[in-house]
Structure formats: C-alpha cells, structure tokens
Amino acid sequence: MDTPPAPAAWTSPPSPAAADAVLLGFVRALRASGVEASAERGYAFLRAVAVLRPGVRADVHAAGRATLCGGPDDLERYERVFAAYFGTAEGPAGRPAPRTAPPPRPRLRVRDVRAGGRSPGERDPLGPPTATLASSTEVLRQRDVAALDDAERAQLHRLLAAFALRGETRRSARRRPARRGDVDPRRTVRELLRRGGEPARLRRHARVDRPRRVVLLVDVSGSMAPYADALLRFAHAAVRGGRTEVFTIGTRLTRVTRELSHRDPDLAMAAVAAAVPDWRGGTRLGELLREFLNRWGQRGMARGAVVVLLSDGWERDDPRLLGAQMRRLHALAHRVVWANPRKGRPGYAPTAAGMAAALPSVDEFVAGHSLAALERLAAVVRGARTGAVAGVER
C-alpha cells in the first residue's frame, strides 16, 4: 500500500521556541491536575523530548511519563491530561488514525526522522508534530470562556476534568512515626520494656501535614451565565480531590457538594441543574453570605478554610451588608480568595458596588475568565501569593 502524503505541517516544523512553549503549557496543565511537576522535572522533560523525536506523539508521551510523574499515583492524571491536551489517537473529526507501529521505547540517541525521507521499511510516525497537536490547546488556555464555540467548550471540559484543587497544607495535631522529629516517649518506653530494660533506639514522631478545607461559592446569577458551567466543572474536579465544599449563590444558597460527587462530569452537571432552583436569576450576595455564615461557616466549615468566591460582584441589595458579612468571613477563614471573570478584561476596574464593598476583606483577587486563569486560581488556593488586590499589584 502506498504511503499517504505527509501533512503540510510536517514540511515546515515549528521553531524550537514555539515547540518548547507548547510543551511547557502541557507541564502547567499537568501541574494544575495535581501532579508535582516541578521546574526541574519540566526542564528534564524538555531535554528528554529533544533527545527523542519532538514531533512524534509516542516519544513525547514516553518522555513525559519518565520525567514528570513522581510515582504510580501520578500516572492516571498524566494519561488524562495528555489525552486532553494533545488529543487522542483519532483524527480531528473522530476518524480513526492510520495503523501505526506500537509506541517505541525511549532510546538515548538522536534519530533523524524527516518527512518524505523515510526508509522503505520504516513505519509512519505516530501522529503530526507536537506543536500541531497542541497549539490549539495552548491558544484555548488564554481564551475567554464566554467566547468559545461548542467544539472549544468540549475541549475545555476535557481539560477541566483533569484539574485538582487542594488547599494549602497545615500542621495538624496528629503525629505519626518518623525517622526525624521529637522523641516519642510512649513508643520509646514500650521498646525498652520489650527489650527488658536494655538500651534501644529512640523512637520519634512528627506532625502530619494536612490540606486545609476549601469552600467554593459559585455565582449562578444571570450576569455569570457565560461562565457558570465552566466554573461548576472546575468545582466538580475540586470535589473529587477531597475536603472541598461547594455552594451556588444567586437568589438562594444551595449546597451542591453531593451532586458534584459523581465521577462523570456530565452526570454531575445534570444533578446540579436539577438541584439549583435559581439559575440565571438575580444576585443577593450579602444576604446569602450571611445565610452561609450563620448556617455553615460559624459552625466550623469556614473556620481555618480557604474560601473562594467565584462571582462578578454584582449586588442587588445594599452593598454595606455584603461588606459586613465579608468582614465576618475574613475573621473566620484562613484566606479569602475572590475570582472575578470580568477582571480578565482589558481596562477592568472594580467599580461595581458589591465588588468595591467586598475587596477590603479579600486576601487575593484574581481573574476567572479562562483556563489559564483557573490554573492560577488553583495555585493560589494551594498557597501561592499573587499580591494583587483590586487589580493593583502590591
């Protein structure tokens, strides 16, 4: 059978800088999914891809598994993010790709693979160049969610399904055995008694680090309609990560943590749609925040937690009520983060009365209009500091 002609993208490969930008975008997406893809691992990934074949899907996949995954727990997330970011092995319209050879094992030598210059016995490479596969995803990361078409929204949903959201860690009162740390007197004495009083090695223990609880308050009012679905899918990924509570706010306060616990994102969205009675209604932020604090927050849900409000700050009632409740929330929570999709627009200023009243009690004020903005929000929840409040860098 004749070999099909190579795609046009093969004859003019992207520049190394452009290819590296795409690969680093994949590393950022992987980090947002919860994999500890550090800067050192990212650099090792770039070097491994350069040693193998940068334009071949199987080699990029193998290089990432070898350098970006720290253990077996990272492999599942890696596969999900890789499929969402680089696409599947099928064609763009769902057509099956041509039959190819099995993915080759990584080899620590350079192979010169040129389009149109393969030997007669050599199989076709496994897919188009990396930059061609993922350039659309890298562009999508910066696009405003409200401006996406149906195909781009489907791709966004696949990327959001791979997200992970965990609060920054804190030292708990519990201790566990450790090689270093304070002496554990009980275990040390038991070891001495077991040896009949003979000298024994000191037993030690250390405090356990636990992630803080994360509470998400998602605005589903009419002004947030273009962003509500993406934000709730972001919340769905957060709930799957554990220790996360989600409420919707509009004209009513609705707890949707149980509905978002479905593994399938579409089933979770359907359950939320059935449970929330106030889609695309008005906004009563102050009143609903007071209801949340009186019913849930004061009892301990918000105490010491990272509380994230995802809203544009439009308030139908008196903004002074919102300001007072934000001060209560700030006194209870470890940190208060506000993600506003409008903040990502050029020339934005927090002139809405509700937003202006709430900002004095906000620790971090970030955008929430795109996939890249949600990745930054996830980093802020994990403990990163942006130093931005009211759109002004500190």
Side-chain angles (χ1 to χ4, degrees):
M1 182 180 294
D2 293 337
T3 303
W10 290 16
T11 59
S12 57
S15 65
D20 286 352
V22 171
L23 294 175
L24 289 175
F26 169 63
V27 175
R28 287 192 294 270
L30 197 64
R31 191 180 299 125
S33 74
V35 177
E36 295 295 334
S38 62
E40 291 78 7
R41 290 184 181 178
Y43 181 61
F45 173 52
L46 295 181
R47 288 188 298 170
V49 171
V51 168
L52 299 172
R53 297 177 294 179
V56 179
R57 176 190 178 88
D59 284 13
V60 175
H61 178 270
R65 281 178 63 101
T67 57
L68 298 174
C69 297
D73 294 339
D74 293 339
L75 296 179
E76 180 183 357
R77 294 193 185 98
Y78 178 84
E79 297 296 341
R80 291 203 311 267
V81 176
F82 189 90
Y85 193 86
F86 291 105
T88 62
E90 295 182 350
R95 297 187 299 270
R99 294 185 63 183
T100 58
R105 295 183 179 182
R107 292 172 294 278
L108 295 180
R109 60 189 180 91
V110 179
R111 290 192 60 192
D112 188 13
V113 179
R114 298 184 179 89
R118 295 184 297 273
S119 59
E122 186 176 355
R123 301 285 187 119
D124 291 336
L126 300 183
T130 302
T132 304
L133 284 165
S135 59
S136 61
T137 303
E138 187 62 19
V139 172
L140 177 66
R141 291 181 63 255
Q142 309 298 333
R143 292 278 304 279
D144 193 305
V145 171
L148 301 181
D149 58 28
D150 292 342
E152 291 169 332
R153 285 184 180 276
Q155 188 178 9
L156 175 70
H157 294 167
R158 290 193 295 271
L159 289 167
L160 287 174
F163 258 62
L165 189 69
R166 294 183 178 87
E168 59 183 292
T169 57
R170 63 177 179 85
R171 288 290 180 89
S172 68
R174 298 183 61 183
R175 296 174 182 269
R176 63 181 178 186
R179 292 185 177 182
R180 298 179 180 179
D182 298 333
V183 175
D184 186 343
R186 294 185 178 181
R187 293 178 62 237
T188 300
V189 170
R190 285 199 298 268
E191 182 67 14
L192 288 171
L193 294 176
R194 189 176 69 85
R195 291 173 173 267
E198 294 293 330
R201 187 177 64 181
L202 295 177
R203 301 296 177 177
R204 300 182 181 274
H205 57 189
R207 292 188 181 277
V208 179
D209 291 338
R210 299 184 61 187
R212 293 183 181 273
R213 178 185 290 110
V214 178
V215 180
L216 302 178
L217 303 176
V218 184
D219 190 342
V220 295
S221 62
S223 61
M224 287 288 292
Y227 301 97
D229 180 73
L231 295 179
L232 285 171
R233 288 177 182 272
F234 174 77
H236 168 259
V239 169
R240 289 189 59 190
R243 289 189 63 81
T244 300
E245 294 284 346
V246 182
F247 295 80
T248 61
I249 51 178
T251 58
R252 297 187 181 184
L253 177 73
T254 308
R255 188 182 184 184
V256 293
T257 307
R258 184 176 62 181
E259 286 74 11
L260 290 174
S261 62
H262 290 285
R263 288 187 60 86
D264 186 272
D266 294 328
L267 290 179
M269 293 301 104
V272 171
V276 176
D278 54 336
W279 287 99
R280 301 191 178 189
T283 314
R284 299 167 54 230
L285 294 177
E287 180 62 33
L288 296 183
L289 187 54
R290 178 167 63 184
E291 180 182 345
F292 166 75
L293 290 172
N294 290 342
R295 185 176 178 183
W296 305 100
Q298 204 77 39
R299 296 182 178 181
M301 184 178 290
R303 194 178 303 276
V306 179
V307 181
V308 183
L309 294 98
L310 301 110
S311 172
D312 56 5
W314 288 98
E315 172 62 294
R316 189 177 69 179
D317 296 334
D318 188 352
R320 291 177 295 183
L321 174 61
L322 176 59
Q325 300 309 310
M326 287 295 296
R327 289 190 289 273
R328 287 181 61 196
L329 176 63
H330 192 264
L332 282 173
H334 173 70
R335 264 203 311 164
V336 178
V337 181
W338 195 300
N340 188 334
R342 313 289 177 183
K343 188 177 184 295
R345 298 180 178 179
Y348 168 82
T351 56
M355 195 73 257
L359 278 178
S361 302
V362 173
D363 296 307
E364 298 287 344
F365 185 45
V366 299
H369 65 296
S370 66
L371 181 63
L374 293 177
E375 290 175 359
R376 287 191 291 270
L377 172 60
V380 168
V381 172
R382 287 195 297 267
R385 269 29 178 208
T386 64
V389 173
V392 179
E393 298 295 328
R394 287 175 176 170

